[in-house]
């Protein structure tokens, strides 16, 4: 019985540590140094370009006019 209680106490301690780490991470604000800000800005730009490229492909899945082999689907 003592082993079971020790196991539960160990699991509880690990859970409490994980909660503490996650809460501490959640309290952080925006990045404060210039390198971090540049990294975040580049990531936002890449995400925006990726989203717009996806929209373009969905609206024109076979490319724009004049692209391809020259055959027109009728």
């Amino acid at each position: 019985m003592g082993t079971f209680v020790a196991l539960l106490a160990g699991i509880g301690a690990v859970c409490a540590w994980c909660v503490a780490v996650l809460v501490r991470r959640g309290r952080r604000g925006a990045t404060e140094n210039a390198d971090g800000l540049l990294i975040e800005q580049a990531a936002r730009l890449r995400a925006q370009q990726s989203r717009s490229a996806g929209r373009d492909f969905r609206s024109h899945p076979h490319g724009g006019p004049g692209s391809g082999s020259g055959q027109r689907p009728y």
Side-chain angles (χ1 to χ4, degrees), residues 31 34-52:
T31 305
D35 291 335
L37 291 172
L38 289 173
I39 291 169
E40 288 178 5
Q41 183 181 13
R44 277 193 305 269
L45 182 61
R46 281 193 311 270
Q48 182 182 11
Q49 289 171 345
S50 177
R51 284 191 301 267
S52 66

Side-chain angles (χ1 to χ4, degrees), residues 16-69:
W17 178 76
C18 289
V19 166
V21 168
L22 291 175
V23 167
R24 210 176 47 209
R25 285 185 184 174
R27 289 185 182 169
R28 288 185 192 161
T31 305
E32 295 178 3
N33 62 5
D35 291 335
L37 291 172
L38 289 173
I39 291 169
E40 288 178 5
Q41 183 181 13
R44 277 193 305 269
L45 182 61
R46 281 193 311 270
Q48 182 182 11
Q49 289 171 345
S50 177
R51 284 191 301 267
S52 66
R55 276 190 224 113
D56 290 343
F57 179 75
R58 283 192 302 268
S59 62
H60 304 288
H62 301 293
S67 65
S69 62

Side-chain angles (χ1 to χ4, degrees), residues 1-11:
M1 182 69 180
T3 306
F4 181 69
V5 171
L7 177 67
L8 287 179
I11 291 172

